[in-house]
Amino acid sequence: MSSILSVKNLSKTVMSNGEALKILTDCQFEINAGESVAIVGRSGSGKSTLLSLLAGLDVCQQGEIYLAERALHKLNEEERALLRGEKVGFVFQSFMLVQSLTALENVMLPLELSHQSHARQEAEKLLEAVGLADRGHHYPNQLSGGEQQRVAVARAFASRPAILFADEPTGNLDAENGKKVEDLLFELNQAQGTTLVLVTHDINLANRCQRQLTMHAGKLTEQAGQDEQVEQAGLHFA
Amino acid sequence: MNKRGYILLKSKLFHPDIRIALTLAMRLLRQELKRGELTIILAALILAVSSVFSLSLFSERLQGALQEKSGEFLAADTVLSASRPIDRKWIEKSETLGLKHSQQVRFSSMIFANNQMQLASLRAIDTAYPLKGEMAVSQVAWGVGEPTEASVEPGKIWLDSKLVSQLDLKVGDIIEVGSTQLEFEKIIASVPDTDLNVFNAGALALINLDDLEKTNVIQPGSRVGYQLNLTGESDALTEFEDWVMPLMNRDIHRLRSINTDSSRLLRAVKRAEKYFLLASLLGIVLASTAIAVAAARFCERHFDLVAILKTLGANQLQIRWVFVFQLGMISLAGIGTGLAIGYFAQIVIIQALQSYLPEMIPDAGIRPWWLAISTGLMSVLLFSVYPLLKLFSIPPLRVLHRQMQGLKNKDWLNWLFSASAIFGLMWLYSGSLKLSFALLVSAGLIILILLVIARSAIWGSRKAGANAGSAAKLALAGLYRRARENSVQLISFTVAIELLLIVLVLRNDLLAEWQSQLPEGTPNYFAVNVNQSEINKFTQAYQDIGIEIDDAYPVTRGRMVAVNGEYVRDDVSKEKAEEGDRDGPRSFGRELNLTAYPDLPQDNTLVEGNWWQADETAYQVSVEEGVANRMQLKIGDELTFNIAGSEFTAKISSIRTVVWESMKPNFFMIFNPVVLNDFPSTYITSFYVPQAVKPELHSVMNQFPSATLIDIDEIINQIRDITNQVSLAVEFILVLVVVAGSLVLIAQVQASLDERRQELVILRTLGAKSNLLRNSVSLEFMILGALAGLFAAFANEIALYILQTQVFNMPAKFHWQFWFIGPVTGALVIGALGLASCWKLIKINTQALIRALG
Ligand SMILES: Nc1ncnc2c1ncn2[C@@H]1O[C@H](COP(=O)(O)OP(=O)(O)OP(=O)(O)O)[C@@H](O)[C@H]1O
Ligand SMILES: [Mg+2]
């Protein structure tokens, strides 16, 4: 299997109150195309920071990231945007839908931005896939949290990304809705062969992934065994 | 063009990125419009554009009408008067410049008819007279005047009512003027260029200029005034003035024009124009400030959108065009609506003013159009550059870190763009670089000072908050936490309130000044040359026809020859007089009209010294303040006068002010009664004659052949007309400024609520009662409002002092009431606005709020 994401010696330092604060230290790993990977760890350990670097939302200053065979750390802002548009999908804890666009228009957005034809039909299909075919004309504030997140998932898959990043996609949802979104993610992952990288506190969600990466104070360790899952459970309820 | 060609053109014109941006912009706008997010920016834009448009349409017409009126007072735009015949070359020059001209010769002469004679002020005029305004003639002496287009033909003479009744003439009689005979044709009711100096006014007679030579009245040495009246394009007039000025001899020539003439009425008009310009300028600045606040808020509300778009892979081109299109469409809508409303408003105003604006000046041309359009575009463009830059630079990372901002530490850019926008607007509108610059610099200074005070006041509130009740504590803590934003808000509140106050105060002062000048029953007739022996009979005769004459003043002509025994040099005082006031010291260097009176005349106010007892025997004199200042006279100085060859000395016992516009006899020098006892004098008085009683004047005046009656109704009406026009304009501007000011306040409150929203939600989630939140929010705004009102009163006082003394030449006053009204209304209005805007926010349940926050 080919590697879709490859990270070498990735570090991140921020200035906080005049002091240099290292929030990521020498992260190194590879993710293959089609894989599903969960990043877990304590609050504040640097998961979101890592995700934003991997997805090209933030500028990578130390280390190397190769995303879909492009050297992300060498790209400028415009090129990163282009790469995001072509290869990357996102789902966020807080949905991040455009409030003044309807559900359908939100899903159409990435298609239109990359000049794909039949954006509307594609978007309608996707909405149907997430079970919201009849809610397309509703605005986000007319939808429940779970519905909004499903729209966000539909939007994330709209441009058929090679890799999808999700930062606590179920974090704002109740169990039932969380499950729905979770199922959706994996279904689409299967159907489109999309690589899934998600940050989560949800042990069930993490367990459904093929691999788990654990962040601990900015350092990354790979885990595969059952005992880690116990430890995670502890973390989760701590 | 066929369809394929069209599609080709379309695809060439629109880069696919731009096309998608356009689609997106439309969708976003549609929803924003529905949710009312664009109301403020649209309203502000519409207000700015419509007011600039209607104001400039209307003010060009108003200015035209005012100029027209002012011109009527001179019967021309420019008058060149001389004591010698005017050089033929000068007249030719005016012709080559395309100016219309009219010549006039003024002199005094006896006229004979029916074996009687009378002294008349004669004017020899050509058929072009009057270039501005119109003459009126009446059917009978003292009758009601009717405008006439006719002019005095050779061989004819027109006489005023006084001459007609004194000489007992009827139309067609033959009148002798010097060595020629003329036929009496018409009775003059009024001429536009009446001599405002009642002491100079004799009975008026008009003859044709071609007959002048035949009269042989003008001999070497006789006192004659020659006049060249001009009218035409203002550029040509200016060119003529510039050309002729160096050729003029100060002793012989005098140039007056509607732009240079310093008569009080014209100064009042000029003052009104200045007010008009300044107030509308402030109104427009306010409206564009509202645009600025709303534009900044528009951009801020889209921070998240940009972050999302960037995350989804939108490129810079797409993002830029999304917002350029949105703002472009808002501008288009705002400007379009503004123009429509402005045009409509202007029609309504003109309709309302129809009776005041005698003739409609032709359409104002395209200037108002481009002025309005560029005002709108400039406000939106310049005020949104910085917010847009900030918006475009929002990092995509904001989707994870909501507090992330774009541009940092580039606030100076904001100030730069805003300042240039405001400067540009002021310059565009006023056309005066100097005024715009002065306003900008003073505004900058005021803002700087306010910024310092505002910060310290807000910091001060922190201490006060420590031991206050819970709502107050929350409010003060909020104030302090947002010190930076709040001081900006405080300043815009202050500026809005201050500008409102300025416009309001100036309006009140101007209106009060005008209204006090000519109340109902203002004297419309002067009677001069009433014989001393007849004055009681005269008063009685008027009483018989129902007219009360309150004050009659004895007048004796005399010269002031020495101050404290030192003889004054005539030429010196004449020199001074030239540069001074028209009705003022010009009287010096020639004879003065002197009077004696037991009491302080009405409308006169003592500024120094005491008024005498009626039976005071020591010689005393009361001097008008302006004269006293110019000639550096003070209480106790001894002035020596010469009346008909006999000299006497009087001590200055008081200095007084005079209301020159009161249409009553006014004097520079008043003696106590004993002084003039031994000198022969005639009486002068003024009184109000209702329209209905006018026909009876004829028979009354016939009893007093030596007395002259001067009708100043025409002048009073002209002044009233101007006052009315200007007052209406002033009210219109006030409304504009109030609306603009309110828009600023609303926009600012809304913008500041965006900042508070998050915090409110958190407090709400933490279980804060809505009562507490409501109280703390309204308290916070009330404190801001009260502070703003206080600062505004302070800044208002300074600005008014400068404006009144420097720009409007009015006495400066202290406006104590605004120190109270400012803070109270500030607190109430801004508190209420704040409460109203956050009412909804507090009412919605927390769940919905959190979701709304996204
Ligand atoms: N720009 C920044 N400046 C200062 N500190 C930062 C910055 N960005 C992140 N941090 C710090 O880095 C650490 C990691 O943050 P990050 O958001 O990645 O944590 P996380 O693992 O996603 O936590 P959570 O599970 O709570 O979302 C935190 O301690 C955070 O405070
Ligand atoms: Mg996180």
Side-chain angles (χ1 to χ4, degrees), chain A residues 41 58 77 80 117 128 137 167 205 220 227:
Chain A
D58 201 357
E77 167 129 27
R80 270 186 280 129
S117 45
E128 201 181 323
H137 59 285
D167 194 349
L205 180 54
L220 203 63
D227 17 73

Side-chain angles (χ1 to χ4, degrees), chain A residues 47-48 167-168 199:
Chain A
K47 307 181 294 293
S48 296
D167 194 349
E168 298 180 38
V199 166

Side-chain angles (χ1 to χ4, degrees), chain B residues 446 449 498 792-804 819:
Chain B
I446 289 185
I449 296 170
E498 186 208 345
F794 168 74
N796 178 44
E797 216 64 67
I798 296 177
L800 278 176
Y801 178 81
I802 297 172
L803 283 175
Q804 291 185 323
W819 288 83

Side-chain angles (χ1 to χ4, degrees), chain B residues 389-402:
Chain B
L389 285 180
K390 225 168 133 180
L391 181 63
F392 296 156
S393 69
I394 287 291
L397 200 52
R398 189 181 160 94
V399 292
L400 287 170
H401 296 281
R402 300 300 294 279

